[in-house]
Amino acid sequence: MKLVTLLAQVDTDKCKGCRTCERVCPVLAIKVVDRKAVVDPERCRGCANCEQRCPDYAVTMIKREKPLQVGVDVHEVNYDEVVALCAKAKLHPEQRICYCVGTRADEVAAAIIKGARTPEEVSLVTGARTGCTIECIQPILRLLEAAGCELKPPEGGWQWYGRTATAWDLPEAVKQKYSSRGFYFEEDRAVLDKLVEEGIKGGDA
Amino acid sequence: MRAPIKPIPPKPSQYGIDPSLVKTRIADLPGMTSVSLKELFPDLPEVIFPGENGLAKVRQAAEEALMKVDMSMIKPEHSVNVLASHHGFTLLGGEPYAELLKAIKDVIEKRTGCRDIRLRAGVGMRFRETEEYIKRYGLDTYYDGKAIGIAPVDQGIPIETEIGTLYGIKKVYDADWIVHAHHSDVREVHFHRQVDKAVKPFGMSYARIETRSTYHQNLGPRGANFVARAIFDSEFVQKKFAFAAFLNIAPNGVVGVDVDNDLYALNDRVTFTGCQYYGKIMTLFGEIDECIAALDFPCPVPYVFSAGVIYANFTGANTDLYDLDAPLPPYTWYTEAFYGKRGKPLLGDIPPVNPAIKMCVHNYAWTGYPSAFFAEQIPTVVVGQEQAELFNRDPLNLNYMDYATVIKSTEAAMNFAYRATGTRKVIIFDGAMGGINVSEPLAELLTRKAPAVSERVDNELLPKWLRQRGVDLSVLNN
């Protein structure tokens, strides 16, 4: 759940149509049309990436007159399916995956069960990854992949490039080579496994 | 009792309130004093900054160290990216790190004849933070207009590693050579656990979101920093790496400059000093039985400093953050993630946030880092409506003020904290150089406890910490 209080606003006098804003928007809410950036206020989730990366300082974040509530109610889907999807992605359903918005794995799973097929669609309906826009991309990709979604980044965009390694698929040789240097790979995996098990046992939100 | 040390002044930034709104510093309030770190721990090293010769000593140390490293791979026709990170600019006012960055450019030019030297300064989560530092310290002019801030959402580049594809920021690597310009300050021990700290920027401030998310979500609390090593060890990065130049920092100031073509040799030295010097301060902070934590520094909430220790680490000072046998510190993102909907940990063995912190008085600290967890766990008072509003407008902190309350003035906030908690022990995170600003009762406690802490770290904890990391004492001979 996120109460979206901010909205990107473009100063068309400053905008040079470089498309940086388009490439960094996690919900594809800003597009360059006729060499000027245009914001879709219904899609903007107020993350400020466009404002922070615009090389011409053409974007400001303004307070919305009427805040926008976004979120997916996990009770609108079969929660057993949510638990199963989270377990497949090696996540606890109650695990917080977006530290800025506070979105938990079960809400992202519910969004996917309800039809979200890309990270951008997940962010649009849940608000996840519209704070720092950095740290929660991997669990979102893991949940989408677990649901059988094809992971294809937005064409020409810099939103995200791909899923990466997890504690469960580190090569054995790497673990052996570096475990004496303070990397507790196996022990960490056991902690994460225990969390996943607790999630399966807990079940009911 | 000695007078408080002058705190680091507020700085103009889009991430903090206007400095004119910071009317009172906590250190200026009645009953505050300071403790010298050298008096607490006499074995802390002698420092060159702060000192009577100021930045000139840093410059001299940098030039001397840079003259000794091999730069023969850099030819006059080549390009070099000097890689910097935001945190260096928060150390001791920022000038020593900026001076190192200037010296690197000058010495490379002088020794190699190379003129195409660029500064690429990475960030944490405040994408324009290093842009601000570049302007503040005149680095844009110094680097002939070739200094830019880079962010983890900027265009990426895939890097093939031992654990598969990870992603760096393209502009980090768009030169023939890279120079890793960093420092040995420990900062986020809760994240990196002093494992490969010197390598960390390759998985963080030089890296794309996919890599950083791998660190904080995919590998686990003690395996996380391996992403940095994986990227640094890649063929792609090794072909470009020239050398590393580090500001050698201790809790009491700048010790010198360490430059090496072998980052792992430097890393072992950083591991040793990080455990030894900072380990003593953190262990001492763990002896504090009750206190009010006062935040008063131009940095986001978790990063405000006291004696080189950040507030985020003080929230975990009830445990041994260096002990790798303990998987989850009281605060780290894995820990935060593992708190369920009812506000309880999802795993039984997660330690609580430092119960000695009875209240947090947020006099002055910046936005730009998700900080709601701290206010959720620790009663927090924010000084001034303007500061509260700034947090309400920060996409990373929309929930921070759901848990914190606002009080109009610093004096009123502290009086409220004294009455509500019943303690007069105050620790101030204001970046005081060379010492700690605290209230008199806390000064007495720290002074009394320090000798036993020093002995315990030297004889018991330090050998264990180094053993866990595969580092032996011979690193100091290099």
Side-chain angles (χ1 to χ4, degrees):
Chain A
M1 298 283 178
K2 178 178 181 178
L3 187 66
V4 185
T5 57
L6 302 175
L7 176 67
Q9 189 175 60
V10 179
D11 180 339
T12 50
D13 290 338
K14 290 182 181 170
C15 177
K16 293 177 183 159
C18 72
R19 294 185 186 272
T20 299
C21 54
E22 256 189 48
R23 293 173 173 129
V24 299
C25 178
V27 289
L28 312 178
I30 187 163
K31 286 193 185 334
V32 173
V33 180
D34 296 333
R35 296 183 184 176
K36 296 291 175 190
V38 178
V39 178
D40 179 347
E42 291 305 308
R43 289 186 74 91
C44 177
R45 296 292 178 261
C47 75
N49 268 8
C50 51
E51 182 260 342
Q52 288 282 296
R53 298 319 292 152
C54 175
D56 301 304
Y57 300 86
V59 184
T60 48
M61 300 307 293
I62 60 167
K63 209 162 185 169
R64 282 178 182 264
E65 282 180 19
K66 199 175 166 193
L68 195 65
Q69 181 82 48
V70 295
V72 176
D73 184 350
V74 297
H75 296 101
E76 287 180 3
V77 297
N78 180 343
Y79 204 74
D80 289 341
E81 278 186 57
V82 168
V83 173
L85 183 55
C86 289
K88 196 172 174 189
K90 305 281 190 192
L91 296 164
H92 188 298
E94 288 199 31
Q95 181 174 343
R96 191 175 278 169
I97 61 169
C98 176
Y99 303 118
C100 302
V101 178
T103 316
R104 296 180 188 276
D106 63 355
E107 189 181 350
V108 173
I112 294 168
I113 290 166
K114 288 185 85 171
R117 285 291 169 269
T118 65
E120 292 68 40
E121 289 173 8
V122 166
S123 296
L124 190 70
V125 296
T126 65
R129 201 163 73 93
T130 65
C132 72
T133 72
I134 303 168
E135 309 300 347
C136 53
I137 184 64
Q138 290 303 332
I140 291 173
L141 291 172
R142 282 159 57 186
L143 282 159
L144 284 163
E145 189 178 69
C149 301
E150 186 190 359
L151 303 180
K152 197 175 164 194
E155 200 172 335
W158 305 337
Q159 282 83 359
W160 58 276
Y161 292 109
R163 191 175 85 67
T164 54
T166 68
W168 295 273
D169 42 38
L170 291 177
E172 205 53 45
V174 167
K175 287 191 266 189
Q176 283 180 9
K177 192 167 152 191
Y178 298 107
S179 59
S180 65
R181 295 294 302 180
F183 296 108
Y184 282 42
F185 297 119
E186 286 298 327
E187 294 85 348
D188 275 6
R189 180 181 155 160
V191 171
L192 300 175
D193 276 335
K194 193 174 165 197
L195 185 80
V196 177
E197 283 166 26
E198 292 294 325
I200 295 167
K201 274 196 274 178
D204 189 4
Chain B
M1 286 291 181
R2 67 172 66 223
I5 298 163
K6 192 174 169 8
I8 296 290
K11 290 181 177 169
S13 168
Q14 64 188 284
Y15 304 106
I17 52 172
D18 188 297
S20 69
L21 294 169
V22 185
K23 309 281 188 201
T24 305
R25 306 305 299 273
I26 304 273
D28 293 334
L29 293 176
M32 299 305 168
T33 181
S34 63
V35 183
S36 156
L37 295 176
K38 262 297 227 183
E39 284 177 23
L40 285 177
F41 298 113
D43 59 340
L44 280 172
E46 297 299 327
V47 298
I48 59 172
F49 186 94
E52 59 186 44
N53 293 310
L55 287 176
K57 287 291 275 186
V58 177
R59 178 74 186 199
Q60 185 189 347
E63 286 181 355
E64 284 173 9
L66 286 160
M67 289 306 286
K68 291 177 193 161
V69 75
D70 179 18
M71 296 187 189
S72 62
M73 71 293 284
I74 301 171
K75 306 298 179 197
E77 66 275 19
H78 284 167
S79 55
V80 177
N81 281 353
V82 177
L83 309 180
S85 302
H86 58 301
H87 177 225
F89 297 103
T90 70
L91 298 171
L92 306 158
E95 286 88 356
Y97 187 59
E99 195 62 34
L100 171 65
L101 297 175
K102 290 174 181 176
I104 291 170
K105 176 180 182 285
D106 290 342
V107 177
I108 293 175
E109 273 185 1
K110 183 179 171 185
R111 289 188 58 196
T112 71
C114 175
R115 297 276 167 215
D116 190 4
I117 304 169
R118 308 89 162 257
L119 180 67
R120 303 283 197 246
V123 296
M125 303 172 122
R126 300 156 299 288
F127 295 167
R128 292 205 193 272
E129 185 177 356
T130 47
E131 281 181 31
E132 292 182 353
Y133 296 134
I134 284 168
K135 289 193 185 97
R136 181 175 303 147
Y137 300 109
L139 291 164
D140 46 350
T141 311
Y142 210 90
Y143 273 77
D144 308 316
K146 294 178 182 175
I148 58 166
I150 48 172
V153 294
D154 290 350
Q155 186 172 15
I157 186 162
I159 299 172
E160 297 311 317
T161 78
E162 282 183 286
I163 58 169
T165 308
L166 292 168
Y167 300 88
I169 298 168
K170 192 172 181 184
K171 282 190 172 147
V172 164
Y173 300 105
D174 66 353
D176 296 304
W177 298 103
I178 56 171
V179 172
H180 176 35
H182 205 55
H183 53 79
S184 62
D185 187 73
V186 297
R187 203 184 188 218
E188 299 169 309
V189 181
H190 57 291
F191 281 149
H192 58 71
R193 308 295 293 274
Q194 203 63 40
V195 176
D196 272 5
K197 166 67 177 69
V199 191
K200 189 184 171 202
F202 286 91
M204 201 54 54
S205 49
Y206 310 159
R208 275 273 314 179
I209 64 165
E210 298 80 3
T211 303
R212 292 172 61 158
S213 184
T214 308
Y215 186 119
H216 290 299
Q217 304 262 13
N218 278 8
L219 295 189
R222 293 163 295 183
N225 206 22
F226 188 73
V227 294
R229 183 178 277 251
I231 287 182
F232 180 71
D233 282 354
S234 69
E235 189 183 349
F236 174 74
V237 174
Q238 284 298 305
K239 277 185 178 169
K240 288 180 180 288
F241 180 72
F243 61 89
F246 274 46
L247 210 54
N248 188 5
I249 300 272
N252 52 329
V254 179
V255 178
V257 173
D258 196 348
V259 182
D260 208 315
N261 297 102
D262 181 348
L263 181 57
Y264 288 122
L266 199 158
N267 183 57
D268 279 353
R269 297 193 287 276
V270 165
T271 302
F272 184 85
T273 58
C275 289
Q276 186 189 38
Y277 300 149
Y278 291 86
K280 286 191 178 180
I281 304 286
M282 286 202 204
T283 307
L284 179 62
F285 281 4
E287 294 289 322
I288 297 173
D289 55 346
E290 57 173 28
C291 71
I292 296 161
L295 318 187
D296 206 7
F297 186 87
C299 240
V301 168
Y303 296 134
V304 296
F305 281 102
S306 180
V309 175
I310 60 171
Y311 178 56
N313 285 167
F314 187 53
T315 67
N318 51 318
T319 64
D320 177 358
L321 294 180
Y322 290 94
D323 182 5
L324 293 173
D325 289 337
L328 290 161
Y331 170 71
T332 190
W333 272 335
Y334 285 101
T335 305
E336 180 176 346
F338 300 168
Y339 271 78
K341 292 180 181 177
R342 295 175 185 86
K344 303 283 182 201
L346 297 168
L347 291 173
D349 48 1
I350 290 179
V353 166
N354 189 356
I357 309 173
K358 302 301 178 192
M359 188 168 282
C360 170
V361 173
H362 173 156
N363 190 50
Y364 171 57
W366 290 0
T367 60
Y369 181 100
S371 305
F373 179 79
F374 299 105
E376 202 176 348
Q377 300 293 325
I378 297 164
T380 299
V381 175
V382 173
V383 174
Q385 192 58 44
E386 297 90 347
Q387 193 155 223
E389 269 308 302
L390 192 72
F391 276 75
N392 282 334
R393 288 178 62 96
D394 178 22
L396 287 68
N397 278 297
L398 296 174
N399 303 324
Y400 184 71
M401 291 309 302
D402 290 351
Y403 306 105
T405 190
V406 186
I407 290 185
K408 276 191 275 187
S409 71
T410 305
E411 293 84 349
M414 287 304 293
N415 286 335
F416 172 73
Y418 287 139
R419 282 198 306 275
T421 65
T423 182
R424 302 295 292 191
K425 294 185 187 127
V426 181
I427 179 168
I428 310 173
F429 291 80
D430 63 2
M433 290 191 239
I436 321 176
N437 284 333
V438 289
S439 63
E440 289 177 6
L442 189 55
E444 186 278 322
L445 180 144
L446 295 175
T447 306
R448 180 162 43 84
K449 298 268 188 184
V453 164
S454 184
E455 197 178 319
R456 186 167 160 237
V457 170
D458 284 340
N459 298 330
E460 181 191 333
L461 297 175
L462 185 61
K464 178 173 78 172
W465 295 336
L466 295 177
R467 194 169 57 247
Q468 288 176 334
R469 291 159 180 81
V471 175
D472 68 60
L473 295 174
S474 65
V475 299
L476 296 180
N477 300 328
N478 296 330

